[in-house]
Amino acid sequence: MLLSVIVFSSLSVSTALGQTEPVVDSSYIAAVYEHNVILNPDPRVPLSRPAALQHMQRNLDIYEQQAARAAQQGVQILVFPEDGIQGFNFSRSSIFNYLETIPDPQQESWNPCTEPGKYNNTEVLQRLSCMARRYNLYLVANMADLQPCPLKTDPSSSCPPDGHWQFNTNVVFSSDGLLVARYHKQNLYFEESFDKPPQPEIITFDTPFAGRFGLITCFDILFYEPTIELVEKGVHQLIYPTGWFNSLPLLDSVQFQSAFSLGAKVTLLAANLRKENVPLTHGYKTMTGSGIYTPYSATYHHAQKGDPEEGMLLVARVPVLDPLWAGQSVDTEEGLVGGMMVVTLKHEGTTACWEMLKMSVRTSVSSAAQSFEPGMLSAPETFNSSVTYDPFTFVPLMETEGEVNVCNGKFCCNLQYRRIQQGDSKELYALGAFAGKHHGIYFIQVCALLRCAGLDPSSCGQKVQEAESKFDFVLEGKFGSTYVYPSVLASKFVLEQPKQLETAPDGTVTMTHSNMTGGLVTACLYGRMYHLDNE
């Protein structure tokens, strides 16, 4: 049975962050749909075009239902996930009859709904266009695109031998059905059926209700092109179809979606797929976790293991963050305090209150703290353990209060903490640091306080979904990048937004948090060293 839960709030959903929205003169209503995609049971076997269409229409029928329900809630822009129409795990040849050639909206104007005969084999584009037109909303979907390219004898040519490109593509339709944007995914993640575009694309589109949006897809969020390039061009509202495989303890879907929104100070409309036990070459993964995020609030959903694989529609009123939008006046508390850039996240209080909070957490730690014995460890000596294949250096938290430091090479992290244990449960926590190239792909610097899976140090970095111990803490690191993404993930995938973030001129980032509502799974400062990726 298909379940659609509709939420109309900026602060509540399955779970939500407890910040108040900024005062703005303009807002709009957005929706994202987490889709239980109907898959081709044998994606490696080519289908005829009629059979491929029949498969895609089954998913589009669900899209139609959700567009109708979104329209009933006054939604102005609706986002569907990556691979939601055709699925995934195709080969280059087996996906061929799922492809449609999508014209470039920057070169020509086309409304597939009102001009269906202009191009052949565009049934999916026509269906999406008519959906946007019928329900009077902007619609963003992800589909498979075929683009011809000239065969060249030049060995440096990026044109594949079969004479065409196959792209993972986002399309945007205006509320009258006009195709207004097309974006080809730049950073592919083991997608043999698709090509990387020959040139990076920076694609935006304008709306009459919220100004400008930028387009990115899934793995793109971790790279400079196009994501940070969009941000640095002043685009603060990003559309994000994704098919994200959850990767605890640092890169769970809602954890990083929220962290990116907060760290980059952008709105992120993130639509994910919902699938358990997805087969991959390196094991089985789960896909879930979608949300509507601003730097001030989040409306999100994260299914638990064993939950029904049902669709989820999230709806929220969102402040306009386009700086060029007429009439916008966002009330944030941001400024220089003692030479530091301080961002206070609109809790009940002032910057002075947060300075008192930070001081309270710091002064509460003492050398006379009660001893905590998590298991094998008898002294807070450093040890190494892998976190998603990266060799972190850890120091265990042996007491209920204290201050610890850990370094990975020259990169160091500091933690001052007070731990509130629940009952007589024993959990091992550790502070970890890592600086290096993640998976050999991109450079990161990470400070992470996390709950270990067991009481053995070797379990630190393994997946944990639940925890009982709560923390008041100040987590700090000196980063070599201005792009640091903060997250606090509590038990059962509940997000908590840090009380305060500070960035000093020397690159030191400080995250302060207290009064947790649930046990701490991970508190993380995830720095991206984009400038080192090509070295």
Side-chain angles (χ1 to χ4, degrees):
M1 181 181 69
L2 177 69
L3 173 67
S4 174
V5 177
I6 300 179
V7 180
F8 184 77
S9 169
S10 63
L11 296 175
S12 64
V13 64
S14 305
T15 330
L17 304 180
Q19 284 69 53
T20 55
E21 279 191 77
V23 177
V24 295
D25 293 335
S26 300
S27 63
Y28 60 100
I29 302 175
V32 300
Y33 182 61
E34 181 165 306
H35 178 42
N36 177 14
V37 57
I38 300 170
L39 295 174
N40 179 334
D42 197 351
R44 312 293 291 187
V45 177
L47 295 180
S48 66
R49 175 64 177 175
L53 275 175
Q54 185 178 25
H55 172 210
M56 291 189 286
Q57 294 294 358
R58 294 176 65 195
N59 284 302
L60 289 168
D61 288 344
I62 299 172
Y63 281 23
E64 186 93 31
Q65 297 170 14
Q66 302 309 315
R69 291 175 176 176
Q72 292 171 357
Q73 303 299 306
V75 166
Q76 294 161 284
I77 185 164
L78 170 60
V79 183
F80 290 108
E82 181 185 26
D83 296 331
I85 295 175
Q86 81 279 347
F88 42 81
N89 283 341
F90 294 94
S91 68
R92 181 175 181 85
S93 59
S94 68
I95 202 174
F96 183 78
N97 279 322
Y98 287 85
L99 305 172
E100 295 190 0
T101 299
I102 306 169
D104 185 355
Q106 297 180 346
Q107 302 296 324
E108 63 176 294
S109 177
W110 180 43
N111 189 316
C113 188
T114 60
E115 305 170 273
K118 188 172 182 178
Y119 295 103
N120 295 325
N121 298 318
T122 55
E123 291 89 344
V124 172
L125 287 164
Q126 293 170 35
R127 182 87 186 266
L128 293 169
S129 170
C130 290
M131 210 179 294
R133 185 178 178 89
R134 180 176 300 114
Y135 301 109
N136 191 35
L137 46 73
Y138 273 65
L139 186 148
V140 184
N142 177 273
M143 59 186 292
D145 180 19
L146 180 150
Q147 293 294 324
C149 62
L151 284 172
K152 295 180 179 179
T153 56
D154 182 355
S156 65
S157 171
S158 64
C159 186
D162 55 17
H164 67 272
W165 286 298
Q166 298 179 182
F167 295 130
N168 177 329
T169 305
N170 294 339
V171 289
V172 184
F173 298 91
S174 67
S175 55
D176 63 358
L178 185 70
L179 179 64
V180 296
R182 181 197 71 184
Y183 166 69
H184 297 136
K185 183 180 179 182
Q186 173 70 20
N187 300 284
L188 301 177
Y189 187 80
F190 302 106
E191 299 170 67
E192 64 173 288
S193 57
F194 293 122
D195 299 306
K196 182 177 180 177
Q199 298 295 330
E201 297 180 351
I202 305 299
I203 302 297
T204 64
F205 63 96
D206 293 307
T207 66
F209 51 83
R212 181 157 296 184
F213 290 85
L215 288 168
I216 60 175
T217 308
C218 201
F219 203 36
D220 284 336
I221 200 171
L222 288 164
F223 294 90
Y224 183 86
E225 292 178 334
T227 305
I228 300 306
E229 190 166 352
L230 281 165
V231 174
E232 292 183 348
K233 289 180 180 294
V235 180
H236 300 303
Q237 301 174 142
L238 299 180
I239 306 291
Y240 184 54
T242 184
W244 190 274
F245 296 108
N246 293 329
S247 185
L248 288 166
L250 303 181
L251 290 174
D252 184 73
S253 55
V254 299
Q255 176 188 21
F256 194 75
Q257 290 164 12
S258 175
F260 181 82
S261 171
L262 181 56
K265 300 181 181 65
V266 299
T267 292
L268 188 71
L269 306 184
N272 199 1
L273 295 173
R274 170 73 178 108
K275 279 293 178 187
E276 285 192 14
N277 299 319
V278 179
L280 297 173
T281 55
H282 51 288
Y284 289 82
K285 297 288 186 179
T286 294
M287 306 163 81
T288 184
S290 304
I292 299 170
Y293 306 88
T294 78
Y296 324 99
S297 63
T299 299
Y300 67 99
H301 164 75
H302 194 299
Q304 307 287 326
K305 185 177 182 180
D307 284 355
E309 293 190 37
E310 295 172 336
M312 180 70 70
L313 181 72
L314 304 180
V315 180
R317 182 173 289 279
V318 186
V320 175
L321 293 191
D322 183 349
L324 301 179
W325 184 245
Q328 177 181 288
S329 175
V330 179
D331 177 19
T332 61
E333 294 182 7
E334 179 174 322
L336 288 172
V337 177
M340 290 187 175
M341 179 62 73
V342 179
V343 180
T344 301
L345 298 171
K346 304 304 289 182
H347 296 258
E348 295 78 4
T350 64
T351 300
C353 291
W354 299 129
E355 289 298 317
M356 293 174 63
L357 165 69
K358 185 172 63 178
M359 185 65 67
S360 172
V361 174
R362 281 177 163 160
T363 56
S364 71
V365 299
S366 67
S367 59
Q370 176 183 351
S371 176
F372 172 68
E373 299 178 359
M376 298 174 58
L377 299 169
S378 59
E381 298 178 353
T382 61
F383 60 93
N384 296 320
S385 190
S386 176
V387 182
T388 56
Y389 309 106
D390 294 328
F392 272 62
T393 304
F394 283 101
V395 61
L397 274 53
M398 301 299 297
E399 300 178 334
T400 56
E401 299 180 352
E403 179 174 2
V404 292
N405 295 275
V406 66
C407 297
N408 183 260
K410 296 182 179 179
F411 177 70
C412 299
C413 305
N414 174 268
L415 174 71
Q416 298 169 68
Y417 70 95
R418 178 173 61 236
R419 175 176 176 174
I420 301 95
Q421 268 183 259
Q422 305 298 308
D424 58 357
S425 65
K426 290 186 177 181
E427 298 172 314
L428 172 61
Y429 281 83
L431 173 68
F434 175 72
K437 206 165 191 179
H438 173 67
H439 277 209
I441 301 173
Y442 57 85
F443 272 91
I444 57 175
Q445 291 178 325
V446 180
C447 293
L449 164 62
L450 51 81
R451 189 208 155 187
C452 306
L455 300 182
D456 191 301
S458 64
S459 72
C460 295
Q462 296 177 12
K463 296 179 180 179
V464 175
Q465 297 183 12
E466 299 184 18
E468 296 186 7
S469 299
K470 300 177 182 179
F471 282 79
D472 297 342
F473 64 84
V474 180
L475 178 62
E476 191 171 80
K478 184 176 180 180
F479 291 83
S481 169
T482 58
Y483 291 101
V484 179
Y485 305 117
S487 64
V488 181
L489 186 66
S491 187
K492 297 182 178 180
F493 303 103
V494 174
L495 294 174
E496 296 201 11
Q497 202 143 335
K499 304 291 187 182
Q500 189 181 47
L501 298 168
E502 299 176 358
T503 301
D506 67 353
T508 299
V509 177
T510 305
M511 177 168 66
T512 304
H513 193 54
S514 64
N515 300 321
M516 294 190 65
T517 60
L520 179 68
V521 173
T522 309
C524 178
L525 295 171
Y526 195 95
R528 269 295 280 119
M529 316 289 287
Y530 300 107
H531 60 286
L532 297 180
D533 286 356
N534 295 325
E535 293 187 6

